[in-house]
PDB file of all heavy atoms in Angstrom:
ATOM      1  N   MET A1226      10.386  11.810   3.565  1.00  0.00           N
ATOM      2  CA  MET A1226       9.697  10.883   4.504  1.00  0.00           C
ATOM      3  C   MET A1226       9.920   9.451   4.089  1.00  0.00           C
ATOM      4  O   MET A1226       9.979   9.193   2.913  1.00  0.00           O
ATOM      5  CB  MET A1226       8.232  11.151   4.720  1.00  0.00           C
ATOM      6  CG  MET A1226       7.373  10.341   5.615  1.00  0.00           C
ATOM      7  SD  MET A1226       5.678  10.938   5.910  1.00  0.00           S
ATOM      8  CE  MET A1226       5.010  10.527   4.281  1.00  0.00           C
ATOM      9  N   LEU A1227      10.161   8.516   5.049  1.00  0.00           N
ATOM     10  CA  LEU A1227      10.314   7.092   4.769  1.00  0.00           C
ATOM     11  C   LEU A1227       9.056   6.346   5.164  1.00  0.00           C
ATOM     12  O   LEU A1227       8.498   6.601   6.251  1.00  0.00           O
ATOM     13  CB  LEU A1227      11.483   6.740   5.653  1.00  0.00           C
ATOM     14  CG  LEU A1227      11.933   5.211   5.274  1.00  0.00           C
ATOM     15  CD1 LEU A1227      12.715   5.063   4.003  1.00  0.00           C
ATOM     16  CD2 LEU A1227      12.873   4.668   6.374  1.00  0.00           C
ATOM     17  N   VAL A1228       8.581   5.432   4.359  1.00  0.00           N
ATOM     18  CA  VAL A1228       7.400   4.689   4.539  1.00  0.00           C
ATOM     19  C   VAL A1228       7.896   3.162   4.741  1.00  0.00           C
ATOM     20  O   VAL A1228       8.617   2.736   3.874  1.00  0.00           O
ATOM     21  CB  VAL A1228       6.347   4.829   3.375  1.00  0.00           C
ATOM     22  CG1 VAL A1228       5.158   3.981   3.790  1.00  0.00           C
ATOM     23  CG2 VAL A1228       6.045   6.245   3.093  1.00  0.00           C
ATOM     24  N   LYS A1229       7.475   2.671   5.920  1.00  0.00           N
ATOM     25  CA  LYS A1229       7.814   1.179   6.154  1.00  0.00           C
ATOM     26  C   LYS A1229       6.508   0.377   6.123  1.00  0.00           C
ATOM     27  O   LYS A1229       5.563   0.764   6.686  1.00  0.00           O
ATOM     28  CB  LYS A1229       8.553   1.032   7.576  1.00  0.00           C
ATOM     29  CG  LYS A1229       8.912  -0.390   7.922  1.00  0.00           C
ATOM     30  CD  LYS A1229       9.575  -0.409   9.256  1.00  0.00           C
ATOM     31  CE  LYS A1229      10.102  -1.838   9.626  1.00  0.00           C
ATOM     32  NZ  LYS A1229      10.824  -1.874  10.857  1.00  0.00           N
ATOM     33  N   TRP A1230       6.594  -0.630   5.303  1.00  0.00           N
ATOM     34  CA  TRP A1230       5.480  -1.518   5.063  1.00  0.00           C
ATOM     35  C   TRP A1230       5.853  -2.952   5.570  1.00  0.00           C
ATOM     36  O   TRP A1230       6.762  -3.543   5.098  1.00  0.00           O
ATOM     37  CB  TRP A1230       4.930  -1.573   3.711  1.00  0.00           C
ATOM     38  CG  TRP A1230       4.008  -2.533   3.331  1.00  0.00           C
ATOM     39  CD1 TRP A1230       2.892  -2.975   4.224  1.00  0.00           C
ATOM     40  CD2 TRP A1230       3.741  -3.246   2.107  1.00  0.00           C
ATOM     41  NE1 TRP A1230       2.102  -3.966   3.558  1.00  0.00           N
ATOM     42  CE2 TRP A1230       2.659  -4.081   2.186  1.00  0.00           C
ATOM     43  CE3 TRP A1230       4.519  -3.267   0.911  1.00  0.00           C
ATOM     44  CZ2 TRP A1230       2.274  -4.923   1.153  1.00  0.00           C
ATOM     45  CZ3 TRP A1230       4.089  -4.066  -0.058  1.00  0.00           C
ATOM     46  CH2 TRP A1230       2.898  -4.964   0.054  1.00  0.00           C
ATOM     47  N   ILE A1231       5.130  -3.512   6.638  1.00  0.00           N
ATOM     48  CA  ILE A1231       5.408  -4.796   7.083  1.00  0.00           C
ATOM     49  C   ILE A1231       4.151  -5.581   6.949  1.00  0.00           C
ATOM     50  O   ILE A1231       2.972  -5.152   7.215  1.00  0.00           O
ATOM     51  CB  ILE A1231       5.568  -4.649   8.708  1.00  0.00           C
ATOM     52  CG1 ILE A1231       6.711  -3.726   9.031  1.00  0.00           C
ATOM     53  CG2 ILE A1231       5.853  -6.032   9.347  1.00  0.00           C
ATOM     54  CD1 ILE A1231       6.668  -3.320  10.368  1.00  0.00           C
ATOM     55  N   ARG A1232       4.348  -6.769   6.377  1.00  0.00           N
ATOM     56  CA  ARG A1232       3.260  -7.747   6.210  1.00  0.00           C
ATOM     57  C   ARG A1232       3.683  -9.098   6.714  1.00  0.00           C
ATOM     58  O   ARG A1232       4.820  -9.555   6.513  1.00  0.00           O
ATOM     59  CB  ARG A1232       3.035  -7.975   4.703  1.00  0.00           C
ATOM     60  CG  ARG A1232       1.850  -8.794   4.398  1.00  0.00           C
ATOM     61  CD  ARG A1232       1.570  -8.949   2.927  1.00  0.00           C
ATOM     62  NE  ARG A1232       2.759  -9.416   2.184  1.00  0.00           N
ATOM     63  CZ  ARG A1232       3.059  -9.282   0.822  1.00  0.00           C
ATOM     64  NH1 ARG A1232       2.072  -8.634   0.126  1.00  0.00           N
ATOM     65  NH2 ARG A1232       4.078  -9.659   0.257  1.00  0.00           N
ATOM     66  N   CYS A1233       2.805  -9.693   7.430  1.00  0.00           N
ATOM     67  CA  CYS A1233       3.177 -11.071   8.040  1.00  0.00           C
ATOM     68  C   CYS A1233       1.860 -11.898   8.226  1.00  0.00           C
ATOM     69  O   CYS A1233       0.808 -11.343   8.228  1.00  0.00           O
ATOM     70  CB  CYS A1233       3.797 -11.009   9.418  1.00  0.00           C
ATOM     71  SG  CYS A1233       2.936 -10.088  10.616  1.00  0.00           S
ATOM     72  N   THR A1234       2.128 -13.226   8.443  1.00  0.00           N
ATOM     73  CA  THR A1234       1.013 -14.104   8.652  1.00  0.00           C
ATOM     74  C   THR A1234       1.052 -14.506  10.210  1.00  0.00           C
ATOM     75  O   THR A1234       2.090 -14.845  10.666  1.00  0.00           O
ATOM     76  CB  THR A1234       1.262 -15.493   7.937  1.00  0.00           C
ATOM     77  OG1 THR A1234       1.306 -15.138   6.461  1.00  0.00           O
ATOM     78  CG2 THR A1234       0.073 -16.392   8.149  1.00  0.00           C
ATOM     79  N   VAL A1235      -0.044 -14.144  10.821  1.00  0.00           N
ATOM     80  CA  VAL A1235      -0.158 -14.370  12.255  1.00  0.00           C
ATOM     81  C   VAL A1235      -0.681 -15.611  12.655  1.00  0.00           C
ATOM     82  O   VAL A1235      -1.676 -16.155  12.222  1.00  0.00           O
ATOM     83  CB  VAL A1235      -1.096 -13.043  12.880  1.00  0.00           C
ATOM     84  CG1 VAL A1235      -1.280 -13.417  14.316  1.00  0.00           C
ATOM     85  CG2 VAL A1235      -0.591 -11.773  12.525  1.00  0.00           C
ATOM     86  N   VAL A1236       0.025 -16.216  13.682  1.00  0.00           N
ATOM     87  CA  VAL A1236      -0.250 -17.520  13.980  1.00  0.00           C
ATOM     88  C   VAL A1236      -0.757 -17.534  15.497  1.00  0.00           C
ATOM     89  O   VAL A1236      -1.289 -18.517  16.072  1.00  0.00           O
ATOM     90  CB  VAL A1236       1.008 -18.462  14.100  1.00  0.00           C
ATOM     91  CG1 VAL A1236       1.359 -18.724  12.625  1.00  0.00           C
ATOM     92  CG2 VAL A1236       2.192 -17.921  14.765  1.00  0.00           C
TER      93      VAL A1236
END
Side-chain angles (χ1 to χ4, degrees):
M1226 185 171 66
L1227 187 76
V1228 184
K1229 181 179 187 177
W1230 171 34
I1231 304 162
R1232 180 179 57 198
C1233 60
T1234 302
V1235 174
V1236 294

